[in-house]
Structures are given as C-alpha cells and as structure tokens.
Amino acid sequence: MKKILYLALSVMLLNSCDMDLDQQPISNASSETYFQTVNDFTQGLNAVYSATRGYPDRLLNLSETRSDNLYAVSDGGVRDWEGINSFHKTIDANTYVVEAWQSNFTGIFRANNFLEQLATKGETVIIDADVRQRMEGEARFLRAFFYFDLVRYFGKLPLIDRPVTAAEAKTIPRSAVADIYNFIEEDLTTAINYLPVLSSYATADKGRANKYAAKMLLGLVYMTKSGPDLDVEGSGLNSNEWGKAIEQFNDIIAGNEFSMLSSYDAIFNYSNEHNAEVIFNIEYSSGANPVVGATFPWVLVPDTWFQSYGYGAQGGLTIRPVAEDLLDKYTSEDVRKTFSIQSGYTNANVVETRSFIKKFVDITKVPTSSRLDWPINFIVFRYTDLLLLKAECVLNGASGSTTTDVDAVVNAVRTRAGLTGTALVGVTKAQLLEERRRELIGEGTRWFDLIRSGTVEATMKSWIAAEDVGGQMEDFIVDYVLYPVPQSEFNTTPGLYEQNKGY
C-alpha cells in the first residue's frame, strides 16, 4: 500500500481537523459534501492512516531516548531530546511531548469522523458489505492504535468516541486508564472480526490493518495492563492477563503467515519490505508531491556522519550516543551490533569516538531532494518481537507453552545473531529482557519493556549513577514513567485536567 499517504483529503483535513482540543474537528459541512463515493471513503480512511506518519519518530524520541539505551545529553546547545533523556520536570511544552498528544488525537478525531460517515452513509455509497466491514475494522484498529500510544505516554485520557464540537471537547475530562483500555479492547475485538488476514491483501494494500495486526496489538494491550500499577495511574494495572495475551499470539502463529528470517539485516533491507517478519508496518512513499516519505531513519543519526559521506544535513543534528552499558551487553560476534550501531567516524578531520544507532539507514538510499523523503517503511510489529513477547507471557505464568519453548525461542534469536556458543537453559525474565534489548535496539520498545516488567525504577537509577559522567541528568522518580499533559491543554481548558504526578 505504498500510496496510502497520498491524501486527496489532506488540505480539507488539515485545515479543519483538531490538532488539540481547542479547535473544531472535521466540519460537518466538509464531511457532508465529501463522503459521496467509494473513493471518497477510501481517501477518508487513508487520511486516518496518515496520522501515523510521525509514530516511528515518536518512538525514537520518547521511548528509545528516554530509556537506558541512549545517553543523549546535549553537547551542542539545547536540544529538545535533552529534557526527555535527562528527566527534566519542565517538559510540558516540549515539542516531542506536544506532538505525541496532538498527533494521536488528530488520528482519533479523523477515525471518529470516518466511522460516523460510514455508519450514516456507508450502506448507501458502498454496496459491498465486506468492504464496509473491512473499512470499519481498519478505522477501529487505528483508533485503538492511537489510544494505546497515548495511554502508554500519558495515562488517563479524555475518552472521545465520536465527532465533537470545540465547545464540547472542553468539557470532556480525563477518564480512568481502565476505561480507556475497555474502549481499546472493544475496538480491537471488532477489528479482529472485520479485518482480513494479511495474505488476502494485494501487494499494493499490504500496509493496511489486518486481523493479525489487531491480534498483536490486543496481545500487547493485555501484557501492558498486566504490568505493575507503580502508583502513577499509568498503563500498568497489574491485571494478570498474560494468558489472554498468549492466546492472541498463538492465533497469529497458527495462521502460519509469518516466520523468522534467517538473516537479521534482511528484516530491514530497503528492497525486502513486507517480508515474512512483518505483521504490520507504517507505509511511506518517496518521490511524491507533497513529500510523504519517511523521516525516522535519521532521527538518531548525527548530521556530521552524513556529511562525512558528502551528503547534506539530514536533521539528526548532534550525536545521541549509545549507552556504554548497552554496548557492553553485545559480544564481538553479535551481528546485531555491527548492523545497528555505528562505532565512531571521522568528518572534516574531526574524529568522533562515540557510537550511535544507524539501524534504519542505508547510506546508498539517502534522499537528495528532501531529507524528509526516505524510501523505507517502519515495522511496527514483527514476528521475532511476537515470539519474545510470548516467551515473556510464559515466564509470567501463562499456560500454552513451556519454559523449554522459551529457551528455544531465545536460542533461535541468538543463533541468528551469530551467537553459536553454548545454548541457554532456564532463561530468566532478566535474561529475556536483555535479549529483547539487543534484538530490538532502535525500535522503540525498551522504555515500555522496563515499565511493563516493573524494573524501570531500579534500572534507571542504577544506570544513571553509572552512565551520567557529565552529571547532567536529574534523579529518576517512578512518576517519570508518564509524560506530562501538554501545558497547552491546560491553557485551553483551565481546571478540567490535573497534571500527572512529578511535573
């Protein structure tokens, strides 16, 4: 589905759709005049997908950078990521924090509008009932996707399940996390029933939501809920739903559509998109006008590295070094390290000895017309991640597999990485977490893994003590598992919200 980000609706939606709760969502007039044909509905649904465009950049800025994977204190002026990495209390106006709130709610508002139009006019306009169901399934999956992204960052949220006016939006308080989860699960249950399996899509539509993507997301929802509550009204509810999660993962495995590739780098090869690892990805298309390519490849890469190859600045600015603690966790033969991490470079006779994540960069594919136009999709859910998540469920007491199966999965992952020594036996939760860290470096999972496992406070405190040689990071408190609600929301709706603890 390489064309999914070409938006016939882009001007109408961007001009009339919320970026925060202070503005009017998509106007009734625009909707009434637009949703008249099947193609109108297709373009309207594509507009919902387009709200995912910044998702991978967000993961790198708010999860990867927040975690113990990067020691990303600034060495060249104040950078937006520094407050994220260093646990500053005053980040309620931070660019990345505001973007996470606004972009996800933009997607939710678009999904709500689309679903309303589908309910009122879909049967008349779209004769094929299967197409209507699939479209509803896609929109519900995306709405759940946006809400899940929000709940992991912010905890309690305003629950908005239909188009609302600006005045009404200002009266909707934040709902309890449990209520948000109930809404997400309802959407995903419907999506699972309505969506086709991935193999039923034509190549051009492989990026659309599919039944297995919805099951993967639902399984991750159950796992996240099962994490400790940490007394912050965050994403963990200590719900012990590991068994529910493993049921979803087993269904995906039984579908027999996915498998581990034999080569680690082949997963991310620009010429191998939609490979057997990919359960769901966010699609980008380079060379379009307006530009709808990817930007995430350079987010963690310093501009001077691109300049050392003769390219212009890409937007990565200064280096966000890989933590020494993580570098030490790789052995010399681990191909994941050499593929994912650049260990120093020289530019203009200046030697940089620190390492950075280059996982998504193919230096032969650097766009020359626009740094915002990289020709690569972002894999949101991949099969190896699923297998490791399933193993985590087993180690947390879920039935359906054994600890022997856990050992087999972890050893298969390590073998692919080139670690051919003695096989591990009796893999522990701590060992599994570290294997995920090495396998999924740069994919934005680490911060959420620490929170879900209940190890975030101990890990970050000890890591800061060892890694913060510059003394630039604030002391970590458990409240920082959440980000602050953007100050702009308080300015818009005084007295409606309370700020998250710690800010």
Side-chain angles (χ1 to χ4, degrees):
M1 192 181 50
K2 297 298 290 185
K3 302 298 183 182
I4 200 163
L5 289 175
Y6 288 102
L7 301 180
L9 281 177
S10 60
V11 175
M12 184 265 288
L13 289 169
L14 291 175
N15 287 341
S16 59
C17 180
D18 267 342
M19 285 303 290
D20 56 47
L21 298 186
D22 187 38
Q23 300 174 338
Q24 181 79 358
I26 303 172
S27 68
N28 290 334
S30 296
S31 297
E32 290 301 323
T33 57
Y34 192 85
F35 288 92
Q36 302 295 324
T37 68
V38 174
N39 186 62
D40 289 348
F41 275 95
T42 299
Q43 294 300 321
L45 185 57
N46 286 356
V48 186
Y49 277 99
S50 75
T52 67
R53 186 180 185 192
Y55 176 77
D57 304 60
R58 188 179 313 130
L59 281 179
L60 300 182
N61 287 318
L62 295 185
S63 176
E64 199 75 19
T65 299
R66 189 76 154 176
S67 78
D68 56 342
N69 280 359
L70 299 177
Y71 180 59
V73 296
S74 177
D75 62 356
V78 177
R79 305 299 182 188
D80 288 328
W81 67 73
E82 186 172 9
I84 302 300
N85 176 82
S86 299
F87 300 104
H88 293 175
K89 299 179 186 295
T90 55
I91 56 172
D92 55 4
N94 181 278
T95 299
Y96 302 135
V97 174
V98 173
E99 187 278 336
W101 182 279
Q102 292 184 348
S103 293
N104 278 307
F105 272 111
T106 292
I108 289 166
F109 294 152
R110 291 181 183 179
N112 286 342
N113 182 71
F114 178 85
L115 287 167
E116 181 182 73
Q117 293 300 314
L118 189 66
T120 57
K121 294 191 290 189
E123 188 171 354
T124 302
V125 175
I126 307 170
I127 304 302
D128 190 326
D130 290 338
V131 172
R132 292 198 304 273
Q133 277 202 343
R134 175 182 58 77
M135 284 186 165
E136 181 177 346
E138 290 180 70
R140 283 181 176 269
F141 167 84
L142 290 167
R143 186 168 63 179
F145 184 87
F146 296 131
Y147 259 120
F148 183 60
D149 197 42
L150 283 166
V151 80
R152 292 200 293 181
Y153 289 126
F154 299 105
K156 297 187 298 180
L157 301 164
L159 183 52
I160 304 172
D161 61 354
R162 57 187 172 79
V164 295
T165 65
E168 187 178 1
K170 294 179 182 180
T171 69
I172 301 174
R174 296 168 77 190
S175 293
V177 170
D179 294 334
I180 302 298
Y181 276 133
N182 288 339
F183 185 64
I184 290 172
E185 290 170 35
E186 181 182 350
D187 265 352
L188 289 176
T189 299
T190 301
I192 288 168
N193 290 332
Y194 286 180
L195 289 172
V197 298
L198 179 60
S199 59
S200 69
Y201 281 120
T203 300
D205 284 324
K206 290 293 186 184
R208 293 197 177 276
N210 64 81
K211 184 184 298 290
Y212 298 127
K215 281 185 167 290
M216 179 78 171
L217 181 54
L218 183 56
L220 188 54
V221 167
Y222 288 139
M223 291 183 68
T224 305
K225 287 175 63 182
S226 298
D229 62 27
L230 301 176
D231 194 32
V232 295
E233 297 186 284
S235 58
L237 300 181
N238 200 28
S239 63
N240 194 28
E241 296 179 81
W242 307 103
K244 289 184 177 180
I246 211 170
E247 288 177 6
Q248 300 301 320
F249 299 149
N250 282 339
D251 286 348
I252 298 171
I253 294 168
N256 210 28
E257 288 200 22
F258 310 100
S259 61
M260 285 181 59
L261 300 190
S262 59
S263 167
Y264 185 75
D265 61 354
I267 302 169
F268 310 99
N269 191 300
Y270 282 50
S271 301
N272 195 34
E273 294 180 327
H274 305 136
N275 60 69
E277 284 259 358
V278 180
I279 298 172
F280 179 66
N281 64 194
I282 293 173
E283 302 275 319
Y284 297 92
S285 185
S286 63
N289 185 16
V291 173
V292 288
T295 57
F296 69 88
W298 52 253
V299 167
L300 301 179
V301 181
D303 283 339
T304 50
W305 185 68
F306 288 110
Q307 291 165 352
S308 73
Y309 282 91
Y311 295 106
Q314 293 297 305
L317 301 176
T318 57
I319 194 169
R320 300 191 209 183
V322 178
E324 292 298 322
D325 173 72
L326 176 54
L327 293 173
D328 291 343
K329 293 295 192 300
Y330 288 99
T331 59
S332 58
E333 66 269 29
D334 197 325
V335 300
R336 297 171 300 189
K337 180 180 181 181
T338 54
F339 177 79
S340 303
I341 299 172
Q342 175 67 34
S343 299
Y345 62 98
T346 300
N347 178 55
N349 297 319
V350 176
V351 177
E352 174 58 76
T353 60
R354 294 169 295 178
S355 302
F356 61 88
I357 296 174
K358 63 173 180 63
K359 189 170 196 171
F360 305 111
V361 174
D362 179 339
I363 201 64
T364 70
K365 303 291 186 182
V366 177
T368 55
S369 59
S370 172
R371 64 185 178 87
L372 307 178
D373 203 24
W374 285 74
I376 183 68
N377 297 336
F378 181 81
I379 304 173
V380 177
F381 299 138
R382 64 181 176 97
Y383 192 64
T384 302
D385 187 13
L386 178 149
L387 296 177
L388 293 172
L389 289 173
K390 177 183 173 181
E392 183 180 333
C393 292
V394 174
L395 294 181
N396 279 287
S399 59
S401 274
T402 66
T403 54
T404 301
D405 296 324
V406 172
D407 293 346
V409 165
V410 173
N411 284 312
V413 171
R414 291 170 59 81
T415 298
R416 180 174 67 183
L419 307 179
T420 57
T422 304
L424 298 180
V425 177
V427 171
T428 65
K429 291 181 186 179
Q431 287 175 311
L432 178 63
L433 197 64
E434 284 300 328
E435 202 59 56
R436 285 183 57 79
R437 188 184 186 193
R438 289 185 288 266
E439 173 73 16
L440 299 167
I441 180 177
E443 296 179 51
T445 64
R446 176 62 174 175
W447 181 241
F448 301 124
D449 285 356
L450 291 175
I451 295 170
R452 187 179 63 250
S453 65
T455 62
V456 62
E457 184 173 19
T459 297
M460 295 309 299
K461 282 185 174 180
S462 62
W463 178 80
I464 290 171
E467 195 88 14
D468 186 23
V469 295
Q472 298 187 54
M473 300 183 72
E474 302 288 342
D475 292 337
F476 180 82
I477 58 176
V478 73
D479 298 338
Y480 293 155
V481 301
L482 293 179
Y483 283 99
V485 175
Q487 181 59 41
S488 57
E489 299 306 310
F490 293 95
N491 296 341
T492 297
T493 57
L496 184 62
Y497 302 150
E498 289 184 3
Q499 185 55 278
N500 288 332
K501 292 166 61 178
Y503 298 98

